[in-house]
C-alpha cells in the first residue's frame, strides 16, 4: 500500500526487456504521450499520477541489464536539473542512498477492462487514464486487437499478446518495476467458425493470452490470464462448457508455477442459472465475488455482472478492496486489490492445454529465456508409468532434457527417441547407452528421415497427467538454441493429429533391412559440464 501511494505521485519508468519478435507484441518503454517531460509520460498518458512533482523521484533514463535494487521510487528530493543553480558547497541531499533489497510484494492490484471495440480514440484514451489511475500491477484487456501497444502499455508497463484479430484481442499488461516475465503464451478457448446475422467478427473464435511473472525479489510467481468468453447466440450457445474446460486446463497447467489470476468478460451474469459454477469449481477457479461476499453491476447490461477477476487457489488470496470504475465503454472496469503470500508455491501439474508457449531470448531472467525447455520438461515429468513417450528431433543436445527422458524410462515409461544427427551429440550417446538397459526404450539415429538443413522436434505422450494424446512441436532441435533464439512451442491434444504423428514416427523409427550398429564410444557416466537438471547457459 505504501509503495502504491508513492507511485501515485510519480512512477519510475522501469524499462522492459526486448519482447518476442513476430509472435509477441511488446510495448516496452514507450509512453502514451511522448511529449511529456521525463518520467511524467506515464502520468500524462494514464493519470497514474494526478499531481506529479518531478523533484520527488529519480527516473531511470536508460535500460538496465538487471532489475534495480529497489522496487520503490526515491522518496527524497533530487538535485536540481538546472546547472546554473548548482553550487560547490556540499549538501546533505548529495549523500548516496544505501542499497536496499527490493520491497516485498504483499498485495497486488488488478484491473479487468473491456474497452468496447470501436470506441473513438478520445474516449478510449480517457478510459485508459481511468484504468491506470492507481498504478495497478496487472491489467487484462478485452476487445482491443487493433489498439496500439503504446496506448495499452505506457511507460513503466509491458504487454503480451499474439498479434491478430482474434489472438490479439485479450492482452495482459504488467508493471515492469515489480514483475519480470518468465513465460508467456496463447491458448485457444473456442473456435466456432462463421458469422451470425449482421456480425462482422466471428463471435465463436476466442483466445486467451497469459503471462507467468516473478516478483523482483524472486519470492513470488504468479500467472495472469486474459480471456473473453463468447456471448450467447444461436451459433455460440454450446460453446460455454468447452470454453470453461479449456480455460480450466490452462489454469491447471499454469498453477504448477504458482497462483493464477484470470481477468475477463464471461458474458454470463454472476447470479444467473447460466453462470458455469460447477465447471469453475472443477477448475478450482473462484471469482473474487465469492471471496468478498458481494458483487455489483459491471456495465450497461441491465444491471448484470459479467466481468470478472478469478483466482486459483482461493486460499492464497484475500480481497483487500473491490470496486468498479465507470468507463466510456459499455463495461465498467473491475478493480481488485488482493493480498499475496510472502512466498508462493506451485501445485502438481496434472493437465495440459492446447496452445503456444514462447520464450524471450532477450529476457534479463534466465527462466524467461528457458521457458520452452522448462515446458518440455514439465510434460515429460508428467507422463505416468505404463504410458509411451516418443521423441523425434533433428538433434538432442540439452543435457537436462536427456536426463528427464531417462528418469521417465526408469519409472516405467516406454521412451523411444529418433534423432537426425549423423555424429551423435554427447547427450545422445549417453542416453543411448542408458536406455539400452531399459526394455522397450531406445535411441535410434535416422538422419535420412530429416530434410537437409531441417531442424524440428516433436514429442508425443500417450498421456501427460490426466491429458491424453499430448503432442508438442517446435521448429528447431532440442538444442541450446531454444534458450538463445526465439522459440515457439505448440501443444495439441487432438487424438486424430496424435495418431497421425505416431504413425509417422514409427515409420521413421523402423529399422532398415540391415540395422546399423549404434554409435560406439559412449561415455559410461553422465555428460560432462553442467549436471542434468542444472540451468542451461547459452551464448546470446
Amino acid at each position: 500500500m505504501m509503495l502504491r501511494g508513492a507511485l501515485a505521485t510519480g512512477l519510475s519508468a522501469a524499462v522492459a526487456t526486448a519482447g518476442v519478435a513476430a509472435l509477441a507484441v511488446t510495448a516496452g518503454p514507450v509512453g502514451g504521450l511522448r511529449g511529456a517531460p521525463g518520467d511524467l509520460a506515464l502520468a500524462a498518458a494514464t493519470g497514474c499520477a494526478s499531481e506529479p512533482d518531478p523533484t520527488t523521484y529519480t527516473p531511470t533514463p536508460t535500460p538496465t541489464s538487471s532489475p534495480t535494487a529497489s522496487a520503490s521510487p526515491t522518496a527524497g528530493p533530487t538535485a536540481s536539473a538546472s546547472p546554473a543553480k548548482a553550487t560547490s558547497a556540499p549538501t546533505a541531499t548529495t549523500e548516496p542512498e544505501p542499497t536496499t533489497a527490493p520491497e516485498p510484494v504483499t498485495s497486488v492490484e488488478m484491473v479487468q477492462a473491456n474497452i468496447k471495440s470501436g470506441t473513438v480514440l478520445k474516449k478510449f484514451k480517457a478510459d485508459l487514464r481511468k484504468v491506470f489511475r492507481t498504478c495497478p500491477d496487472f491489467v487484462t484487456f478485452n476487445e482491443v486487437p487493433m489498439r496500439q501497444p503504446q496506448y495499452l502499455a505506457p511507460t513503466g508497463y509491458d504487454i503480451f499478446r499474439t498479434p491478430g484479430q482474434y489472438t490479439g484481442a485479450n492482452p495482459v499488461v504488467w508493471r515492469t518495476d515489480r514483475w519480470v516475465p518468465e513465460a508467456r503464451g496463447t491458448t485457444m478457448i473456442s473456435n466456432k467458425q462463421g458469422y451470425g446475422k449482421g456480425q462482422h467478427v466471428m463471435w465463436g473464435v476466442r483466445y486467451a493470452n497469459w503471462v507467468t511473472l516473478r516478483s523482483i525479489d524472486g519470492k513470488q510467481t504468479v500467472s495472469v490470464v486474459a480471456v473473453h468468453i463468447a456471448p450467447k447466440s444461436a451459433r455460440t450457445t454450446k460453446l460455454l462448457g468447452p470454453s470453461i474446460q479449456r480455460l480450466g486446463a490452462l489454469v491447471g497447467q499454469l498453477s504448477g508455477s504458482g497462483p493464477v489470476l484470470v481477468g475477463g468478460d464471461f458474458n454470463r451474469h454472476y447470479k444467473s442459472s447460466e453462470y458455469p459454477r460447477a465447471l469453475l469449481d472443477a477448475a478450482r477457479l473462484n471469482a473474487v465475488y465469492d471471496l468478498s461476499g458481494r458483487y455489483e453491476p459491471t456495465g450497461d447490461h441491465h444491471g448484470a455482472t459479467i466481468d470478472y477477476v478469478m483466482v486459483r487457489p482461493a486460499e492464497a488470496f484475500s480481497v483487500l478492496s473491490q470496486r468498479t470504475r465507470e468507463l466510456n465503454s459499455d463495461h465498467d472496469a473491475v478493480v481488485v486489490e488482493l493480498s499475496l503470500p510472502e512466498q508462493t508455491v506451485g501445485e502438481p501439474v496434472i493437465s495440459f492445454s492446447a496452445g503456444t508457449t514462447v520464450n524471450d531470448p532477450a529476457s534479463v531472467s534466465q527462466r524467461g529465456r528457458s521457458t520452452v525447455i522448462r515446458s518440455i520438461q514439465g510434460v515429460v515429468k508428467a507422463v505416468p508409468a505404463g504410458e509411451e513417450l516418443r521423441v523425434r528431433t533433428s538433434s538432442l543436445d540439452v543435457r537436462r532434457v536427456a536426463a528427464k527422458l531417462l528418469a521417465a524410462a526408469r519409472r516405467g515409461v516406454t521412451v523411444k527417441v529418433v534423432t537426425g544427427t549423423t555424429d551423435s551429440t554427447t547427450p545422445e550417446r549417453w542416453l543411448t547407452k542408458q536406455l539400452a538397459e531399459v526394455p522397450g526404450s531406445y535411441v535410434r539415429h535416422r538422419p535420412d528421415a530429416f530434410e537437409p538443413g531441417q531442424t524440428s522436434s516433436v514429442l508425443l505422450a500417450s498421456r501427460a497427467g490426466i491429458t491424453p494424446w499430448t503432442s508438442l512441436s517446435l521448429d528447431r532441435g532440442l538444442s541450446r538454441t531454444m534458450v538463445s533464439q526465439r522459440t515457439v512451442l505448440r501443444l495439441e491434444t487432438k487424438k486424430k493429429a496424435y495418431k497421425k504423428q505416431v504413425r509417422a514416427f514409427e515409420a521413421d523409427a523402423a529399422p532398415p533391412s540391415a540395422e546399423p550398429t549404434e554409435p560406439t564410444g559412449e561415455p559410461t557416466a553422465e555428460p560432462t559440464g553442467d549436471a542434468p537438471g542444472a540451468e542451461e547457459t547459452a551464448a546470446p
Side-chain angles (χ1 to χ4, degrees):
M1 292 293 290
M2 292 180 64
L3 178 59
R4 186 166 290 115
L7 285 171
T9 61
L11 178 66
S12 176
V15 182
T17 58
V20 179
L23 184 72
V25 175
T26 308
V30 294
L33 295 180
R34 280 296 194 181
D39 277 0
L40 298 184
L42 178 64
T46 68
C48 184
S50 56
E51 296 181 2
D53 183 352
T55 63
T56 61
Y57 64 95
T58 302
T60 303
T62 56
T64 56
S65 60
S66 59
T68 55
S70 174
S72 59
T74 303
T78 62
S80 171
S82 173
K85 295 182 180 180
T87 63
S88 58
T91 62
T93 58
T94 61
E95 290 293 328
E97 293 289 335
T99 302
T100 59
E103 184 174 339
V105 179
T106 58
S107 65
V108 295
E109 185 175 274
M110 179 165 169
V111 177
Q112 153 59 25
N114 182 324
I115 301 184
K116 185 179 180 180
S117 178
T119 300
V120 297
L121 186 59
K122 182 178 180 179
K123 291 184 176 181
F124 172 71
K125 289 182 177 179
D127 282 352
L128 287 183
R129 286 194 291 271
K130 292 183 178 181
V131 167
F132 288 99
R133 187 171 65 198
T134 48
C135 308
D137 289 78
F138 315 122
V139 180
T140 50
F141 283 110
N142 301 143
E143 298 193 30
V144 293
M146 305 306 172
R147 299 294 187 178
Q148 293 174 304
Q150 61 262 35
Y151 291 128
L152 299 172
T155 302
Y157 285 85
D158 205 349
I159 182 173
F160 173 76
R161 61 179 171 185
T162 295
Q165 181 177 8
Y166 300 101
T167 55
N170 309 306
V172 176
V173 174
W174 64 93
R175 266 175 53 174
T176 56
D177 66 327
R178 302 238 281 178
W179 301 95
V180 177
E182 290 194 339
R184 57 192 86 187
T186 303
T187 293
M188 185 271 288
I189 298 299
S190 61
N191 194 29
K192 178 70 173 181
Q193 301 286 319
Y195 300 89
K197 184 178 181 181
Q199 295 176 3
H200 301 288
V201 296
M202 292 186 282
W203 281 13
V205 180
R206 305 281 162 153
Y207 286 83
N209 288 293
W210 57 267
V211 180
T212 298
L213 302 149
R214 177 166 289 198
S215 59
I216 292 296
D217 65 6
K219 294 182 179 180
Q220 295 145 314
T221 301
V222 299
S223 294
V224 182
V225 182
V227 68
H228 190 179
I229 302 299
K232 184 178 179 180
S233 72
R235 293 185 59 83
T236 61
T237 185
K238 296 181 180 180
L239 296 181
L240 178 61
S243 295
I244 299 300
Q245 289 173 337
R246 292 189 184 98
L247 176 63
L250 171 62
V251 170
Q253 182 176 337
L254 296 177
S255 67
S257 298
V260 182
L261 300 98
V262 177
D265 173 5
F266 280 61
N267 275 304
R268 302 298 188 280
H269 177 43
Y270 178 63
K271 297 301 290 185
S272 75
S273 59
E274 295 178 336
Y275 181 70
R277 184 170 295 278
L279 292 172
L280 292 169
D281 288 347
R284 295 185 60 200
L285 271 172
N286 287 89
V288 294
Y289 311 134
D290 300 336
L291 278 62
S292 67
R294 64 183 182 87
Y295 67 97
E296 47 265 308
T298 61
D300 308 328
H301 306 95
H302 307 287
T305 300
I306 64 175
D307 295 89
Y308 297 85
V309 171
M310 297 186 176
V311 297
R312 171 177 172 171
E315 56 269 22
F317 302 93
S318 61
V319 179
L320 303 179
S321 67
Q322 170 189 310
R323 58 196 179 278
T324 59
R325 194 172 286 164
E326 181 70 30
L327 301 178
N328 292 304
S329 173
D330 58 342
H331 294 254
D332 295 342
V334 178
V335 184
V336 180
E337 186 174 8
L338 300 163
S339 65
L340 194 66
E342 292 184 2
Q343 190 158 359
T344 59
V345 295
E347 305 174 20
V349 178
I350 62 172
S351 64
F352 294 87
S353 176
T356 61
T357 300
V358 61
N359 73 325
D360 183 356
S363 174
V364 298
S365 165
Q366 194 282 334
R367 291 175 63 84
R369 298 191 298 272
S370 63
T371 295
V372 169
I373 288 181
R374 289 187 292 108
S375 297
I376 292 171
Q377 288 179 285
V379 171
V380 173
K381 184 178 178 180
V383 180
E387 300 294 337
E388 291 187 317
L389 178 62
R390 296 173 173 87
V391 180
R392 181 188 186 275
T393 180
S394 53
S395 174
L396 174 57
D397 196 21
V398 181
R399 300 179 181 98
R400 47 183 163 151
V401 172
K404 290 293 184 184
L405 293 173
L406 177 60
R410 286 177 172 172
R411 69 171 178 267
V413 178
T414 300
V415 176
K416 302 177 180 180
V417 181
V418 170
T419 75
T421 54
T422 302
D423 298 322
S424 299
T425 65
T426 299
E428 288 175 4
R429 292 196 300 271
W430 173 76
L431 187 61
T432 299
K433 181 176 179 62
Q434 301 300 320
L435 290 186
E437 301 175 0
V438 181
S441 296
Y442 57 74
V443 176
R444 291 177 180 168
H445 304 272
R446 300 285 188 265
D448 292 342
F450 293 79
E451 295 293 332
Q454 176 193 15
T455 59
S456 64
S457 298
V458 175
L459 288 84
L460 306 171
S462 57
R463 180 172 297 275
I466 62 172
T467 305
W469 316 307
T470 304
S471 307
L472 287 76
S473 62
L474 59 157
D475 57 354
R476 66 179 69 255
L478 298 178
S479 67
R480 284 168 287 182
T481 57
M482 292 188 292
V483 175
S484 61
Q485 299 180 25
R486 170 182 166 269
T487 304
V488 180
L489 174 69
R490 292 178 174 83
L491 190 152
E492 295 289 344
T493 57
K494 294 181 178 179
K495 181 179 180 179
K496 184 176 181 180
Y498 172 84
K499 294 291 187 181
K500 181 179 180 180
Q501 293 189 83
V502 166
R503 288 193 295 270
F505 175 92
E506 296 297 345
D508 291 339
S513 55
E515 177 72 6
T517 304
E518 297 290 1
T520 60
E522 302 88 342
T524 57
E526 293 183 355
T528 59
D530 293 340
E535 294 293 339
E536 289 288 345
T537 302

